[in-house]
């Protein structure tokens, strides 16, 4: 029986709408992928898992895992596999080249004095007289007694003066939060992003002073994942919940806590106490507690380009493997094969399956530590060089280029 013209038209129209919906769904529901020029591990093929045995090999002792990896893979193979990465050949300008050549003639001052104003989380032990490149000396201080005639004033949580007159110190303003909000009154702006005047990454040692760095070589084999968050953002909570329901974990913070209260890590790991004579703080035993777990879940507050915070670097420093959700160009900041990028999996189920497989394969797990043991840094060396640790000299160089107090006011 022949279809009537009106029915034929209706069917054709319905098929057309179906194709459009299918196209839009495919376009918008793709798993996020990084924009980094550094190739990501092919997680979907599980290529890092050892092929010597398909039988799970649960392990606790990280030293034994290292020995297995050394005998079956070794640093020579790892270095060859990541040769291009070790040469820092990223094509993305995610990091300022702070170790590159400097034109000394651009520096208009031989000595720069910077006075840090107002409240800031910048640690007091940054106060010092630094010897920088090109013979430049840099005085960085929170004391007006020491920096009595500053060439620049440094502000973080306090808005700089609205106006600057000729002869006044330059105004330096820093915002390391995801929004990179300028004060509108600064002469030099510092953020985590390479596009701003001075970049400061979260990778430096000064981000975690006064901690207990006793790390455990024995990994928890029953509870795989450490997570601690006390800022319960809805999107982050929902993402964590979807993954953690699939993996045995301990959650120590206020968010999704399953330990019967916050800050219970010290009851499990008393050796992580920083000072028995002082009340413990949430951060002073962080690295020690993390080190007992094979994995640490690290989810950024905001997932935006280049915003790679201490959440990731704390996990790396603790000897755990981060499961990371955050900056799409994260691979421009970290060592090769050092984290599990959660955004590269098609589903939470696939990610959880991979994590469990790595947890039961000592060779695959040890490979996530090979960058450190074999000295293959990739861009991580540049990330550390652009951190808070080197900020004083780099800010003093920026002030010197502008000629400090002698800079023309606008």
């Amino acid at each position: 029986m022949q279809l009537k013209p009106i029915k034929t038209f209706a069917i054709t129209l319905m098929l057309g709408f179906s194709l459009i919906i299918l196209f839009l769904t495919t376009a918008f529901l793709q798993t996020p992928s990084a924009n980094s020029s550094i190739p990501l591990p092919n997680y979907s093929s599980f290529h890092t898992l050892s092929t010597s045995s398909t039988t799970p090999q649960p392990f606790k002792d990280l030293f034994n895992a290292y020995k297995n990896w050394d005998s079956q893979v070794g640093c020579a193979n790892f270095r060859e596999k990541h040769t291009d990465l070790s040469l820092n050949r990223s094509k993305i300008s995610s990091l300022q080249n702070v170790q590159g050549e400097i034109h000394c003639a651009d520096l208009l001052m031989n000595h720069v004095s910077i006075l840090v104003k107002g409240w800031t989380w910048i640690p007091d032990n940054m106060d010092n007289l630094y010897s920088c490149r090109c013979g430049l000396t840099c005085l960085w201080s929170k004391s007006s007694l020491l920096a009595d005639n500053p060439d620049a004033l440094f502000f973080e949580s306090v808005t700089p003066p609205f106006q600057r007159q000729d002869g006044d110190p330059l105004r330096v303003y820093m915002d390391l939060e995801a929004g990179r909000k300028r004060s509108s009154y600064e002469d030099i702006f510092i953020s985590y992003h390479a596009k701003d005047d001075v970049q400061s990454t979260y990778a430096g040692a000064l981000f975690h002073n006064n901690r207990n760095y006793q790390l455990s070589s024995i990994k928890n084999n029953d509870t795989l994942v450490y997570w601690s968050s006390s800022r319960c953002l809805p999107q982050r909570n929902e993402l964590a919940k979807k993954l953690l329901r699939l993996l045995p974990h301990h959650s120590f913070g206020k968010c999704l806590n399953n330990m019967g209260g916050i800050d219970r890590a010290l009851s499990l790991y008393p050796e992580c106490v920083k000072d028995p004579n002082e009340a413990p703080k949430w951060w002073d035993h962080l690295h020690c507690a993390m080190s007992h777990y094979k994995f640490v879940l690290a989810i950024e507050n905001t997932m935006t380009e280049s915003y790679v915070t201490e959440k990731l670097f704390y996990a790396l420093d603790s000897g755990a493997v981060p499961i990371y959700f955050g900056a799409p160009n994260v691979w421009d900041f970290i060592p090769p094969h050092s984290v599990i990028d959660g955004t590269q999996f098609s589903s939470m189920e696939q990610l959880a399956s991979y994590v469990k497989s790595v947890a039961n394969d000592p060779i695959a797990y040890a490979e996530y530590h090979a960058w450190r043991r074999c000295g293959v840094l990739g861009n991580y060396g540049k990330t550390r060089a652009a951190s808070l640790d080197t900020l004083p000299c780099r800010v003093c160089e920026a002030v010197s280029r502008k000629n400090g107090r002698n800079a023309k006011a606008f």
Side-chain angles (χ1 to χ4, degrees):
M1 182 178 69
Q2 283 189 335
L3 293 173
K4 293 182 180 180
I6 185 66
K7 290 184 177 180
T8 305
F9 175 76
I11 293 172
T12 304
L13 192 62
M14 290 173 64
L15 287 173
F17 276 119
S18 299
L19 288 173
I20 291 173
I21 292 171
L22 180 62
F23 172 78
L24 292 175
T25 303
T26 304
F28 283 104
L29 296 184
Q30 285 180 334
T31 303
S33 60
N35 294 323
S36 169
S37 62
I38 297 179
L40 293 171
N42 184 13
Y43 297 117
S44 59
S45 67
F46 294 77
H47 81 291
T48 59
L49 302 182
S50 60
T51 57
S52 57
S53 173
T54 56
T55 305
Q57 302 174 55
F59 68 95
K60 291 185 177 181
D61 193 327
L62 189 54
F63 284 124
N64 286 336
Y66 288 164
K67 290 178 182 177
N68 288 337
W69 186 85
D70 289 343
S71 64
Q72 296 199 33
V73 183
C75 284
N77 288 326
F78 187 82
R79 291 191 190 102
E80 182 179 359
K81 183 177 181 180
H82 298 286
T83 299
D84 289 342
L85 304 188
S86 66
L87 296 178
N88 292 331
R89 290 178 176 173
S90 175
K91 296 178 182 177
I92 294 179
S93 299
S94 296
L95 288 160
Q96 293 179 354
N97 187 15
V98 301
Q99 295 174 312
E101 183 180 353
I102 181 174
H103 298 287
C104 296
D106 293 341
L107 301 184
L108 305 178
M109 307 170 64
N110 296 322
H111 175 73
V112 171
S113 172
I114 295 180
L115 178 62
V116 180
K117 300 283 288 183
W119 180 91
T120 175
W121 52 260
I122 288 181
D124 292 341
N125 63 353
M126 277 184 65
D127 284 23
N128 210 337
L129 179 61
Y130 295 86
S131 178
C132 308
R133 297 182 295 181
C134 299
L136 176 68
T137 53
C138 172
L139 176 62
W140 179 283
S141 180
K142 291 182 177 180
S143 170
S144 59
L145 177 65
L146 301 181
D148 63 304
N149 190 32
D151 301 291
L153 302 177
F154 180 98
F155 302 89
E156 182 195 1
S157 59
V158 180
T159 303
F162 293 172
Q163 290 186 332
R164 175 185 169 268
Q165 304 295 330
D166 286 342
D168 286 347
L170 292 175
R171 300 159 299 176
V172 180
Y173 184 73
M174 181 173 77
D175 180 15
L176 296 187
E177 294 300 326
R180 294 161 56 206
K181 295 180 180 178
R182 292 176 175 264
S183 70
S184 301
Y185 305 110
E186 72 278 342
D187 303 293
I188 296 172
F189 181 59
I190 304 169
S191 84
Y192 63 84
H193 204 285
K195 291 181 180 178
D196 293 316
D197 298 327
V198 179
Q199 182 180 27
S200 181
T201 69
Y202 284 79
L206 286 171
F207 269 99
H208 38 82
N209 284 322
N210 199 26
R211 307 283 174 97
N212 183 336
Y213 277 100
Q214 178 178 329
L215 304 184
S216 174
S217 64
I218 303 301
K219 297 290 186 179
N220 193 323
N221 206 41
D222 299 317
T223 306
L224 298 181
V225 180
Y226 172 105
W227 193 54
S228 180
S229 176
S230 292
R231 186 181 176 191
C232 304
L233 301 176
Q235 289 182 326
R236 180 165 59 188
N237 263 19
E238 187 61 28
L239 194 158
K241 188 185 299 183
K242 288 180 180 179
L243 178 61
L244 294 177
R245 67 181 174 81
L246 303 171
L247 293 168
H249 66 280
H250 283 162
S251 177
F252 291 100
K254 295 179 182 178
C255 312
L256 308 180
N257 184 285
N258 66 351
M259 301 302 295
I262 62 174
D263 297 333
R264 298 296 298 273
L266 292 178
S267 62
L268 294 178
Y269 314 111
E271 69 275 16
C272 292
V273 172
K274 174 66 173 67
D275 187 340
N277 298 317
E278 294 183 2
K281 303 175 181 63
W282 69 265
W283 44 263
D284 61 8
H285 57 278
L286 193 66
H287 292 75
C288 180
M290 283 181 176
S291 72
H292 290 80
Y293 299 83
K294 292 181 178 178
F295 306 95
V296 170
L297 179 59
I299 307 175
E300 302 289 9
N301 298 350
T302 304
M303 299 185 190
T304 189
E305 181 186 88
S306 299
Y307 188 60
V308 184
T309 73
E310 78 285 353
K311 297 175 182 64
L312 174 58
F313 296 115
Y314 284 173
L316 284 178
D317 291 342
S318 73
V321 175
I323 303 170
Y324 182 72
F325 291 87
N329 59 333
V330 63
W331 291 100
D332 283 333
F333 294 86
I334 59 176
H337 199 75
S338 58
V339 312
I340 297 173
D341 185 351
T343 66
Q344 299 304 303
F345 293 82
S346 61
S347 66
M348 288 297 182
E349 287 75 15
Q350 186 194 42
L351 171 57
S353 176
Y354 178 75
V355 169
K356 291 176 182 177
S357 298
V358 173
N360 287 316
D361 188 329
I363 296 175
Y365 185 81
E367 184 145 338
Y368 278 98
H369 298 271
W371 65 271
R372 183 189 298 110
R373 300 180 65 233
C374 302
V376 181
L377 297 181
N379 265 6
Y380 186 52
K382 293 172 68 176
T383 304
R384 293 295 296 262
S387 73
L388 190 68
D389 297 356
T390 64
L391 186 64
C393 273
R394 295 187 290 117
V395 173
C396 280
E397 287 176 2
V399 172
S400 178
R401 289 188 186 96
K402 290 180 176 288
N403 207 16
R405 287 174 173 269
N406 295 319
K408 186 69 176 176
F410 296 100

